Structure formats: structure tokens, C-alpha cells
Amino acid sequence: MDKGLHFKFCVITTMLLLRESSQTGEKNDPKMVTSSRSVALQTGGACHCVFFLNLQEDPYVMVRSAELEGYCIDLLKALAATLRFRYKVKVVGDGQYGAVSSSGNWTGMIGEILRQEADIAVAPLTVTSAREEVVSFTTPFLQTGIGILLRKDTVSQEMSFFHFLSPFSKETWTGLLFAYVLTCFCLFLVARLSPCEWNEPKNEENHFTFLNSLWFGAGALALQGVTPRPKALSVRVIAAVWWLFTIALLAAYIANFTALLSSGSEQLPIQTFEDLVKQRKLEFGTLDGSSTFYFFKNSKNPIHQMIYEYMDKRRDHVLVKTYQEAVQRVMESNYAFIGESISQDLAAARHCNLIRAPEVIGARGFGIATTQASLWTKKLSIAVLKLRESGDLDYLRNKWWETSCLHKSRDRWSPLQPQALGGLFLTLAIGLALGVIAAVVELSNKSRHAAGHVKKSCCSIFTEEMCARLRIKENTRQSQETSGRANA
């Protein structure tokens, strides 16, 4: 009888524990929130207790209306639906991700998994070699790197004197200068060859000199009509194509210059980690005990070593405890935060006065940590891959990293390259070729008619006409010298 009562007591106690674990929104501590979902993973008839371990960090885990929500919560729900398990959420006790302490023990999430206080950790937990030696990681569910978070007004500088040249790259400006000179030369050449523009080279003066051609092309760039006005069809073809080219060019310049002024990306003097080390205006640091800190510690790069030495000497002043503290410090003081680029993108999306420097180093991923030799690792990895292939991970990324700032593509602006204007340059080249061909055809027609009157071959007349038009200055000089001698 005593054995029967004892058995009933064990069954009732087990049922009460299972019921208690299924309740949500329970608070055991004012500083730590525990959200109990359910407690079991059914595998082959066995019931395994699973703890989801996380820090309270926006947008991964947040407390709203006594409920936990965020990217990691949604990810955990999707994994649970895929693998059909139930789970219980627990916030890590010391608020750390996981690093080796001075005593040689692991802290944070990694420590709790090693002490078997939790089975898995779903968090923005970076996969590193040191952590991989003591725990197992799944396929990364988010890719990130190490970036620099800055406040815009602390890094802004006055625009350079030649800032108006920034919309186009150096190669584009070189191509435009070459196109301008080539077009003006073609105008000069075609105006000399065309008999419709210049009937009698020996008796009249051609208005399209090379200097006048340069002035004509410059006037088109300013959308102004200038003299001389073209008469021949060949000259008009070149002039029309150059006008179209300049209109499209000015539209591209104005659009890119407007984007440049609104983005302000060229006003960042700190583009790289080398720029950060060289400046003296801003202090910089990272999360204490984070993988970012140990990345710089173990790096052989001289710049990275200088960053580590700076942070290590001033660790009590520049290292921060939490990500929220880092963002707040960047917003309120002359401080640059070095950390995960994906988290910095979120900060820039939530706070429009923050900006991330373009350079990102140390590509890495966030993975789910499990105990070593656990059956969870492979199953969770396969589930993560399925979520990626179905587009669910991209959906969660866009959902929780949505920005309300006006300039969402802050660091996507770049000077306009020649490739972007390739079609425009090709159109101009075709127009110049058509103009030259039209001038040759016009000169050929005149040579054919002249050959019929003087009874000479068309080729000889064509050659004479071309030589006379291209050597008009020499002929004019000779005639002037002859007339001068006669007058003497």
C-alpha cells in the first residue's frame, strides 16, 4: 500500500511540474525574465527537457507585455515547428555570451551548457574555434562581421573644395573629357570636309575652326546655343548627338550629386579600422569578454594589434558590459563601438543619427550552441538549412531589421562609374561615326558632279578636294605671300 501511495505521489508531482512549465510570462526575478513555454522534445518515445538560453537583446530577445519576442524567439518557434519539440526559455544568469574566466572556467551561455544547466543556446552567439572546442555549433543562421559604429555629428567634416566632382569617378571624368575633345575635333573635321558647310575653300572662310568647335561643344554642355550654327546635315548629326549626350549627362550628374548630399557618406573620415587608430578625437572599445575582443587579441595584423593594446590598457574605461550600454555611449559621447556589423546595422536603423563605417572585417556567423556529441546538433543544422531554403530566415531578417530612417542605403552611394554611362558613350560614338560618313558622302557627291564637268576621274577630284579643305591654311598663307610680293 505504501508503495502504491508513493507511486501515485510521484505521478501527481510530475504532472504538476509539466503544467507549471507550460505557463508563459512567469517572472522569477525583477532583473531576469523567464518565459516558460513547454518542456519536451519527443524523440523515439523519450521526453527530453530543453532550455532555450538567451540574453535580453534587441532585436533577438525583448520583453513586451510580459512576453518574450524577437528574432531568436521567432527562430526558436520555427525550429520547434519543424522538429516538433517543446521548449522552456531561460535567460542566462550572468548576462554573458561566454568566455574563459581567470579561473579557467567558462562564463555565460557556454558555461551553462558545459554545466548541463541548459541543452541549447539560441542567441547571437558567434562561432569561434575556442568555443567549438568545448561545445558544438549548428550551421550559422546569421552571417556577420566586425564593424565600427559611430555617431554622425562626431565624425562629420567639412566638404572638400572640389566636392562638386564627387558624383563622377576619376575614370568617368577622364572619359567625359576625351569625349568632349573628340566630338569637337569631329565637328571641326566634318565642317571642313562637307561642301554644304564650306562650298569654296579657296574663296571663303570656314567658321568651324577648332577653337570655335570647342566653344560650340562647351555651349552645349551649358545647355546654351552658340554660334556658328551648323548648316550641313553631317555637322547637324554630330551636334544633335552631342546635345542628347549632354542632356543625359547633366541629368545623371544632378541626380548623383543630390544623392551624395543626402547620403553624407563622403563626409566620413573614418572609413577603415586604420583610420580609427590614427584619429585622436574618438575613444573606441567593444564588449568585455566578447569574441570581438579576442579576435583583436589573437590577430597578427599590426592595425588589429594596436586596437587590442589600446582597449586592453583602458579596459575599465572603454570596454562595455552590454550592447545597449555601447549604443547609449556612442549616442551620448565621443565613442566608437567595435562590434558585430549586423547589430550595428540594427542600431543605425533604429537611431538615424548613428552610422556604420564601410569596412567590415572578420566574417563570421551566429550559430546555435549545443553540448558536444549531442544528437541535437545535426537535427538543428538541417532545420536551419530548411528555413534558409524556404526563405524564412530572410523574412525574419527583414522583419526585425526594418528601418524608419529616410536614407536606408547610407553606405551604398558611390561615384558614377563609366560602365553606368556605357550606353551613352556608345550612342555618342555612333553619332560621330554617322556624321563623318555623311560628310564623306557629301564630299563624294560634289566630286562626282565636278568630275563630270572637268572630265577627270572621281577619285582624283575627291583627293584634290580633300587636300584643299585640309590644307586651307597653307594655301591661304601662300596666296597672301604671293599677293604681298606682287604689291611690293
Side-chain angles (χ1 to χ4, degrees):
M1 186 66 179
D2 292 338
K3 292 182 178 180
L5 290 174
H6 181 70
F7 176 78
K8 291 181 179 180
F9 176 79
C10 291
V11 172
I12 293 173
T13 303
T14 304
M15 293 179 65
L16 288 175
L17 289 174
L18 290 175
R19 182 179 179 183
E20 180 183 1
S21 64
S22 63
Q23 296 175 355
T24 60
E26 180 183 358
K27 297 183 179 180
N28 295 328
D29 191 293
K31 295 184 179 178
M32 270 179 239
V33 180
T34 302
S35 178
S36 309
R37 301 300 185 196
S38 78
V39 206
L41 170 67
Q42 301 294 340
T43 322
C47 179
H48 299 281
C49 184
V50 180
F51 292 94
F52 164 72
L53 199 57
N54 209 319
L55 297 168
Q56 295 183 47
E57 181 178 326
D58 185 12
Y60 302 102
V61 176
M62 299 170 289
V63 182
R64 292 181 182 174
S65 302
E67 291 289 335
L68 290 180
E69 63 176 27
Y71 178 91
C72 288
I73 299 297
D74 289 348
L75 175 61
L76 184 62
K77 290 179 181 178
L79 293 174
T82 303
L83 298 178
R84 297 181 181 180
F85 67 85
R86 295 180 295 173
Y87 56 88
K88 179 179 179 181
V89 177
K90 176 186 176 183
V91 178
V92 61
D94 58 6
Q96 300 293 323
Y97 288 100
V100 180
S101 63
S102 57
S103 61
N105 298 322
W106 281 86
T107 62
M109 302 180 189
I110 305 298
E112 294 205 13
I113 291 180
L114 291 177
R115 294 189 298 270
Q116 297 185 352
E117 297 175 8
D119 290 331
I120 65 172
V122 183
L125 193 59
T126 306
V127 181
T128 64
S129 58
R131 291 171 178 172
E132 189 73 49
E133 290 179 355
V134 294
V135 298
S136 295
F137 281 97
T138 63
T139 300
F141 57 86
L142 270 180
Q143 297 294 333
T144 183
I146 300 176
I148 308 170
L149 184 66
L150 308 158
R151 194 173 78 249
K152 292 180 180 178
D153 57 359
T154 61
V155 296
S156 60
Q157 63 179 8
E158 295 183 359
M159 294 183 181
S160 63
F161 190 72
F162 296 98
H163 193 64
F164 67 94
L165 298 176
S166 300
F168 291 161
S169 65
K170 294 179 181 179
E171 294 80 7
T172 304
W173 284 117
T174 303
L176 293 179
L177 179 61
F178 177 77
Y180 168 69
V181 175
L182 179 62
T183 302
C184 294
F185 176 77
C186 288
L187 276 174
F188 166 72
L189 178 65
V190 169
R192 279 184 168 273
L193 293 179
S194 175
C196 300
E197 189 70 40
W198 197 24
N199 291 324
E200 298 294 335
K202 298 181 179 179
N203 301 326
E204 63 177 311
E205 182 181 357
N206 182 270
H207 297 289
F208 269 97
T209 63
F210 187 67
L211 290 179
N212 287 343
S213 300
L214 291 175
W215 180 245
F216 183 89
L221 283 173
L223 300 181
Q224 299 294 322
V226 294
T227 55
R229 297 180 180 179
K231 300 176 183 178
L233 176 63
S234 56
V235 181
R236 290 180 177 180
V237 167
I238 294 179
V241 172
W242 178 244
W243 287 336
L244 292 176
F245 179 84
T246 56
I247 291 174
L249 178 68
L250 289 175
Y253 176 86
I254 293 173
N256 215 33
F257 191 63
T258 303
L260 166 64
L261 294 179
S262 61
S263 67
S265 62
E266 287 298 305
Q267 302 179 41
L268 268 182
I270 299 178
Q271 300 279 338
T272 65
F273 284 87
E274 184 176 359
D275 297 335
L276 183 64
V277 172
K278 291 180 179 179
Q279 60 84 37
R280 294 294 180 266
K281 183 179 179 181
L282 299 179
E283 297 179 327
F284 53 88
T286 187
L287 289 175
D288 189 10
S290 64
S291 60
T292 301
F293 181 81
Y294 288 99
F295 170 84
F296 288 100
K297 180 180 179 180
N298 299 326
S299 176
K300 303 300 182 183
N301 188 301
I303 300 297
H304 299 170
Q305 279 296 306
M306 294 173 64
I307 293 176
Y308 167 72
E309 291 173 1
Y310 175 89
M311 294 190 299
D312 188 50
K313 291 179 181 178
R314 302 167 178 82
R315 62 167 52 241
D316 294 335
H317 185 60
V318 299
L319 297 184
V320 293
K321 299 298 181 183
T322 63
Y323 174 76
Q324 290 78 6
E325 179 187 350
V327 173
Q328 195 68 22
R329 188 167 177 181
V330 172
M331 295 178 63
E332 296 177 354
S333 63
N334 292 336
Y335 181 78
F337 173 61
I338 302 175
E340 302 293 347
S341 60
I342 193 169
S343 300
Q344 294 175 347
D345 289 338
L346 176 70
R350 301 288 174 84
H351 308 282
C352 297
N353 62 330
L354 299 182
I355 190 171
R356 178 175 61 80
E359 186 181 32
V360 176
I361 61 174
R364 55 183 67 187
F366 291 155
I368 302 174
T370 66
T371 56
Q372 284 189 333
S374 173
L375 298 176
W376 287 73
T377 309
K378 185 175 181 180
K379 293 182 178 180
L380 289 171
S381 294
I382 295 174
V384 168
L385 291 175
K386 288 182 178 179
L387 293 176
R388 179 177 297 160
E389 293 168 357
S390 63
D392 290 339
L393 291 184
D394 293 333
Y395 168 75
L396 293 180
R397 174 69 167 80
N398 296 331
K399 173 184 176 181
W400 293 104
W401 270 259
E402 184 180 3
T403 177
S404 59
C405 298
L406 295 178
H407 42 277
K408 298 182 181 181
S409 57
R410 174 252 331 146
D411 55 351
R412 297 179 185 176
W413 181 91
S414 60
L416 203 61
Q417 300 296 326
Q419 294 82 355
L421 301 175
L424 197 58
F425 281 103
L426 179 61
T427 303
L428 178 63
I430 293 175
L432 296 181
L434 290 177
V436 173
I437 293 173
V440 173
V441 171
E442 291 171 351
L443 186 60
S444 299
N445 291 334
K446 182 181 179 181
S447 300
R448 189 181 304 112
H449 291 301
H453 288 86
V454 299
K455 297 182 179 180
K456 290 184 179 181
S457 65
C458 181
C459 292
S460 62
I461 297 296
F462 180 81
T463 304
E464 291 176 2
E465 284 285 341
M466 181 170 291
C467 291
R469 293 172 186 278
L470 296 180
R471 297 176 181 176
I472 185 61
K473 288 187 177 181
E474 180 181 350
N475 295 337
T476 303
R477 187 182 305 158
Q478 292 176 355
S479 62
Q480 290 176 352
E481 292 178 355
T482 303
S483 60
R485 292 173 182 173
N487 294 332

PDB file of all heavy atoms in Angstrom, residues 174-195:
ATOM      1  N   THR A 174      37.585  61.434 -66.841  1.00  0.00           N
ATOM      2  CA  THR A 174      38.553  61.277 -67.935  1.00  0.00           C
ATOM      3  C   THR A 174      37.852  60.919 -69.236  1.00  0.00           C
ATOM      4  O   THR A 174      38.164  61.457 -70.310  1.00  0.00           O
ATOM      5  CB  THR A 174      39.581  60.199 -67.570  1.00  0.00           C
ATOM      6  OG1 THR A 174      40.218  60.544 -66.333  1.00  0.00           O
ATOM      7  CG2 THR A 174      40.638  60.066 -68.660  1.00  0.00           C
ATOM      8  N   GLY A 175      36.884  60.004 -69.156  1.00  0.00           N
ATOM      9  CA  GLY A 175      36.129  59.630 -70.343  1.00  0.00           C
ATOM     10  C   GLY A 175      35.319  60.786 -70.906  1.00  0.00           C
ATOM     11  O   GLY A 175      35.228  60.953 -72.138  1.00  0.00           O
ATOM     12  N   LEU A 176      34.753  61.626 -70.030  1.00  0.00           N
ATOM     13  CA  LEU A 176      33.985  62.779 -70.492  1.00  0.00           C
ATOM     14  C   LEU A 176      34.877  63.800 -71.186  1.00  0.00           C
ATOM     15  O   LEU A 176      34.493  64.386 -72.209  1.00  0.00           O
ATOM     16  CB  LEU A 176      33.265  63.425 -69.309  1.00  0.00           C
ATOM     17  CG  LEU A 176      32.159  62.588 -68.657  1.00  0.00           C
ATOM     18  CD1 LEU A 176      31.556  63.335 -67.487  1.00  0.00           C
ATOM     19  CD2 LEU A 176      31.087  62.245 -69.676  1.00  0.00           C
ATOM     20  N   LEU A 177      36.070  64.026 -70.633  1.00  0.00           N
ATOM     21  CA  LEU A 177      36.999  64.959 -71.266  1.00  0.00           C
ATOM     22  C   LEU A 177      37.425  64.458 -72.644  1.00  0.00           C
ATOM     23  O   LEU A 177      37.473  65.232 -73.622  1.00  0.00           O
ATOM     24  CB  LEU A 177      38.226  65.143 -70.368  1.00  0.00           C
ATOM     25  CG  LEU A 177      39.315  66.086 -70.897  1.00  0.00           C
ATOM     26  CD1 LEU A 177      38.762  67.497 -71.083  1.00  0.00           C
ATOM     27  CD2 LEU A 177      40.511  66.092 -69.947  1.00  0.00           C
ATOM     28  N   PHE A 178      37.691  63.157 -72.732  1.00  0.00           N
ATOM     29  CA  PHE A 178      38.072  62.578 -74.026  1.00  0.00           C
ATOM     30  C   PHE A 178      36.916  62.686 -75.023  1.00  0.00           C
ATOM     31  O   PHE A 178      37.125  63.003 -76.205  1.00  0.00           O
ATOM     32  CB  PHE A 178      38.482  61.121 -73.832  1.00  0.00           C
ATOM     33  CG  PHE A 178      38.816  60.408 -75.117  1.00  0.00           C
ATOM     34  CD1 PHE A 178      40.024  60.613 -75.746  1.00  0.00           C
ATOM     35  CD2 PHE A 178      37.903  59.534 -75.691  1.00  0.00           C
ATOM     36  CE1 PHE A 178      40.333  59.965 -76.932  1.00  0.00           C
ATOM     37  CE2 PHE A 178      38.194  58.879 -76.874  1.00  0.00           C
ATOM     38  CZ  PHE A 178      39.416  59.091 -77.499  1.00  0.00           C
ATOM     39  N   ALA A 179      35.677  62.428 -74.561  1.00  0.00           N
ATOM     40  CA  ALA A 179      34.511  62.518 -75.443  1.00  0.00           C
ATOM     41  C   ALA A 179      34.305  63.944 -75.938  1.00  0.00           C
ATOM     42  O   ALA A 179      33.952  64.165 -77.104  1.00  0.00           O
ATOM     43  CB  ALA A 179      33.267  62.024 -74.707  1.00  0.00           C
ATOM     44  N   TYR A 180      34.523  64.923 -75.060  1.00  0.00           N
ATOM     45  CA  TYR A 180      34.362  66.327 -75.446  1.00  0.00           C
ATOM     46  C   TYR A 180      35.374  66.725 -76.524  1.00  0.00           C
ATOM     47  O   TYR A 180      35.013  67.323 -77.553  1.00  0.00           O
ATOM     48  CB  TYR A 180      34.523  67.206 -74.209  1.00  0.00           C
ATOM     49  CG  TYR A 180      34.669  68.680 -74.493  1.00  0.00           C
ATOM     50  CD1 TYR A 180      33.609  69.428 -74.985  1.00  0.00           C
ATOM     51  CD2 TYR A 180      35.891  69.321 -74.282  1.00  0.00           C
ATOM     52  CE1 TYR A 180      33.756  70.784 -75.263  1.00  0.00           C
ATOM     53  CE2 TYR A 180      36.045  70.678 -74.550  1.00  0.00           C
ATOM     54  CZ  TYR A 180      34.982  71.403 -75.039  1.00  0.00           C
ATOM     55  OH  TYR A 180      35.127  72.743 -75.302  1.00  0.00           O
ATOM     56  N   VAL A 181      36.637  66.407 -76.290  1.00  0.00           N
ATOM     57  CA  VAL A 181      37.677  66.767 -77.270  1.00  0.00           C
ATOM     58  C   VAL A 181      37.446  66.048 -78.593  1.00  0.00           C
ATOM     59  O   VAL A 181      37.570  66.642 -79.680  1.00  0.00           O
ATOM     60  CB  VAL A 181      39.072  66.442 -76.702  1.00  0.00           C
ATOM     61  CG1 VAL A 181      40.149  66.684 -77.750  1.00  0.00           C
ATOM     62  CG2 VAL A 181      39.354  67.280 -75.467  1.00  0.00           C
ATOM     63  N   LEU A 182      37.080  64.766 -78.533  1.00  0.00           N
ATOM     64  CA  LEU A 182      36.856  64.004 -79.764  1.00  0.00           C
ATOM     65  C   LEU A 182      35.671  64.559 -80.540  1.00  0.00           C
ATOM     66  O   LEU A 182      35.715  64.669 -81.770  1.00  0.00           O
ATOM     67  CB  LEU A 182      36.620  62.530 -79.415  1.00  0.00           C
ATOM     68  CG  LEU A 182      36.347  61.591 -80.599  1.00  0.00           C
ATOM     69  CD1 LEU A 182      37.560  61.569 -81.537  1.00  0.00           C
ATOM     70  CD2 LEU A 182      36.011  60.184 -80.119  1.00  0.00           C
ATOM     71  N   THR A 183      34.605  64.923 -79.844  1.00  0.00           N
ATOM     72  CA  THR A 183      33.428  65.476 -80.521  1.00  0.00           C
ATOM     73  C   THR A 183      33.756  66.804 -81.192  1.00  0.00           C
ATOM     74  O   THR A 183      33.358  67.052 -82.339  1.00  0.00           O
ATOM     75  CB  THR A 183      32.289  65.665 -79.509  1.00  0.00           C
ATOM     76  OG1 THR A 183      31.976  64.410 -78.894  1.00  0.00           O
ATOM     77  CG2 THR A 183      31.039  66.206 -80.195  1.00  0.00           C
ATOM     78  N   CYS A 184      34.485  67.666 -80.497  1.00  0.00           N
ATOM     79  CA  CYS A 184      34.850  68.959 -81.077  1.00  0.00           C
ATOM     80  C   CYS A 184      35.772  68.775 -82.286  1.00  0.00           C
ATOM     81  O   CYS A 184      35.655  69.507 -83.294  1.00  0.00           O
ATOM     82  CB  CYS A 184      35.518  69.839 -80.029  1.00  0.00           C
ATOM     83  SG  CYS A 184      34.412  70.312 -78.682  1.00  0.00           S
ATOM     84  N   PHE A 185      36.660  67.810 -82.194  1.00  0.00           N
ATOM     85  CA  PHE A 185      37.534  67.540 -83.343  1.00  0.00           C
ATOM     86  C   PHE A 185      36.721  67.025 -84.539  1.00  0.00           C
ATOM     87  O   PHE A 185      36.980  67.405 -85.691  1.00  0.00           O
ATOM     88  CB  PHE A 185      38.610  66.528 -82.965  1.00  0.00           C
ATOM     89  CG  PHE A 185      39.494  66.124 -84.107  1.00  0.00           C
ATOM     90  CD1 PHE A 185      40.502  66.970 -84.553  1.00  0.00           C
ATOM     91  CD2 PHE A 185      39.319  64.905 -84.750  1.00  0.00           C
ATOM     92  CE1 PHE A 185      41.315  66.612 -85.627  1.00  0.00           C
ATOM     93  CE2 PHE A 185      40.125  64.540 -85.823  1.00  0.00           C
ATOM     94  CZ  PHE A 185      41.122  65.396 -86.255  1.00  0.00           C
ATOM     95  N   CYS A 186      35.741  66.158 -84.272  1.00  0.00           N
ATOM     96  CA  CYS A 186      34.889  65.659 -85.355  1.00  0.00           C
ATOM     97  C   CYS A 186      34.068  66.789 -85.967  1.00  0.00           C
ATOM     98  O   CYS A 186      33.850  66.824 -87.195  1.00  0.00           O
ATOM     99  CB  CYS A 186      33.972  64.556 -84.838  1.00  0.00           C
ATOM    100  SG  CYS A 186      34.817  63.007 -84.477  1.00  0.00           S
ATOM    101  N   LEU A 187      33.584  67.718 -85.144  1.00  0.00           N
ATOM    102  CA  LEU A 187      32.887  68.889 -85.681  1.00  0.00           C
ATOM    103  C   LEU A 187      33.788  69.687 -86.610  1.00  0.00           C
ATOM    104  O   LEU A 187      33.385  70.097 -87.708  1.00  0.00           O
ATOM    105  CB  LEU A 187      32.405  69.774 -84.525  1.00  0.00           C
ATOM    106  CG  LEU A 187      31.080  69.429 -83.864  1.00  0.00           C
ATOM    107  CD1 LEU A 187      30.847  70.328 -82.657  1.00  0.00           C
ATOM    108  CD2 LEU A 187      29.929  69.568 -84.854  1.00  0.00           C
ATOM    109  N   PHE A 188      35.006  69.921 -86.160  1.00  0.00           N
ATOM    110  CA  PHE A 188      35.979  70.672 -86.956  1.00  0.00           C
ATOM    111  C   PHE A 188      36.277  69.950 -88.268  1.00  0.00           C
ATOM    112  O   PHE A 188      36.300  70.566 -89.358  1.00  0.00           O
ATOM    113  CB  PHE A 188      37.251  70.859 -86.131  1.00  0.00           C
ATOM    114  CG  PHE A 188      38.433  71.319 -86.914  1.00  0.00           C
ATOM    115  CD1 PHE A 188      38.517  72.621 -87.394  1.00  0.00           C
ATOM    116  CD2 PHE A 188      39.483  70.444 -87.186  1.00  0.00           C
ATOM    117  CE1 PHE A 188      39.617  73.048 -88.125  1.00  0.00           C
ATOM    118  CE2 PHE A 188      40.583  70.861 -87.911  1.00  0.00           C
ATOM    119  CZ  PHE A 188      40.649  72.169 -88.383  1.00  0.00           C
ATOM    120  N   LEU A 189      36.486  68.629 -88.204  1.00  0.00           N
ATOM    121  CA  LEU A 189      36.829  67.849 -89.396  1.00  0.00           C
ATOM    122  C   LEU A 189      35.672  67.777 -90.378  1.00  0.00           C
ATOM    123  O   LEU A 189      35.838  68.000 -91.583  1.00  0.00           O
ATOM    124  CB  LEU A 189      37.263  66.445 -88.970  1.00  0.00           C
ATOM    125  CG  LEU A 189      37.621  65.468 -90.092  1.00  0.00           C
ATOM    126  CD1 LEU A 189      38.861  65.965 -90.844  1.00  0.00           C
ATOM    127  CD2 LEU A 189      37.846  64.071 -89.527  1.00  0.00           C
ATOM    128  N   VAL A 190      34.477  67.485 -89.871  1.00  0.00           N
ATOM    129  CA  VAL A 190      33.313  67.326 -90.738  1.00  0.00           C
ATOM    130  C   VAL A 190      32.935  68.659 -91.381  1.00  0.00           C
ATOM    131  O   VAL A 190      32.545  68.715 -92.558  1.00  0.00           O
ATOM    132  CB  VAL A 190      32.132  66.744 -89.922  1.00  0.00           C
ATOM    133  CG1 VAL A 190      30.840  66.825 -90.714  1.00  0.00           C
ATOM    134  CG2 VAL A 190      32.417  65.295 -89.564  1.00  0.00           C
ATOM    135  N   ALA A 191      33.045  69.755 -90.607  1.00  0.00           N
ATOM    136  CA  ALA A 191      32.726  71.070 -91.169  1.00  0.00           C
ATOM    137  C   ALA A 191      33.676  71.435 -92.296  1.00  0.00           C
ATOM    138  O   ALA A 191      33.306  72.168 -93.232  1.00  0.00           O
ATOM    139  CB  ALA A 191      32.772  72.130 -90.070  1.00  0.00           C
ATOM    140  N   ARG A 192      34.919  70.966 -92.247  1.00  0.00           N
ATOM    141  CA  ARG A 192      35.877  71.227 -93.330  1.00  0.00           C
ATOM    142  C   ARG A 192      35.622  70.341 -94.551  1.00  0.00           C
ATOM    143  O   ARG A 192      35.793  70.780 -95.684  1.00  0.00           O
ATOM    144  CB  ARG A 192      37.303  71.001 -92.828  1.00  0.00           C
ATOM    145  CG  ARG A 192      37.855  72.184 -92.063  1.00  0.00           C
ATOM    146  CD  ARG A 192      39.305  71.944 -91.661  1.00  0.00           C
ATOM    147  NE  ARG A 192      39.894  73.192 -91.195  1.00  0.00           N
ATOM    148  CZ  ARG A 192      40.472  74.100 -91.972  1.00  0.00           C
ATOM    149  NH1 ARG A 192      40.535  73.904 -93.267  1.00  0.00           N
ATOM    150  NH2 ARG A 192      40.981  75.213 -91.464  1.00  0.00           N
ATOM    151  N   LEU A 193      35.216  69.088 -94.305  1.00  0.00           N
ATOM    152  CA  LEU A 193      35.017  68.157 -95.412  1.00  0.00           C
ATOM    153  C   LEU A 193      33.710  68.399 -96.146  1.00  0.00           C
ATOM    154  O   LEU A 193      33.627  68.192 -97.358  1.00  0.00           O
ATOM    155  CB  LEU A 193      35.074  66.715 -94.903  1.00  0.00           C
ATOM    156  CG  LEU A 193      36.413  66.206 -94.375  1.00  0.00           C
ATOM    157  CD1 LEU A 193      36.289  64.771 -93.894  1.00  0.00           C
ATOM    158  CD2 LEU A 193      37.499  66.315 -95.440  1.00  0.00           C
ATOM    159  N   SER A 194      32.672  68.807 -95.417  1.00  0.00           N
ATOM    160  CA  SER A 194      31.348  68.909 -96.025  1.00  0.00           C
ATOM    161  C   SER A 194      31.266  70.116 -96.965  1.00  0.00           C
ATOM    162  O   SER A 194      31.495  71.260 -96.543  1.00  0.00           O
ATOM    163  CB  SER A 194      30.290  69.031 -94.935  1.00  0.00           C
ATOM    164  OG  SER A 194      29.020  69.245 -95.515  1.00  0.00           O
ATOM    165  N   PRO A 195      30.918  69.930 -98.236  1.00  0.00           N
ATOM    166  CA  PRO A 195      30.732  71.067 -99.156  1.00  0.00           C
ATOM    167  C   PRO A 195      29.488  71.884 -98.834  1.00  0.00           C
ATOM    168  O   PRO A 195      29.388  73.046 -99.246  1.00  0.00           O
ATOM    169  CB  PRO A 195      30.622  70.385-100.522  1.00  0.00           C
ATOM    170  CG  PRO A 195      30.153  69.002-100.230  1.00  0.00           C
ATOM    171  CD  PRO A 195      30.739  68.635 -98.904  1.00  0.00           C
TER     172      PRO A 195
END
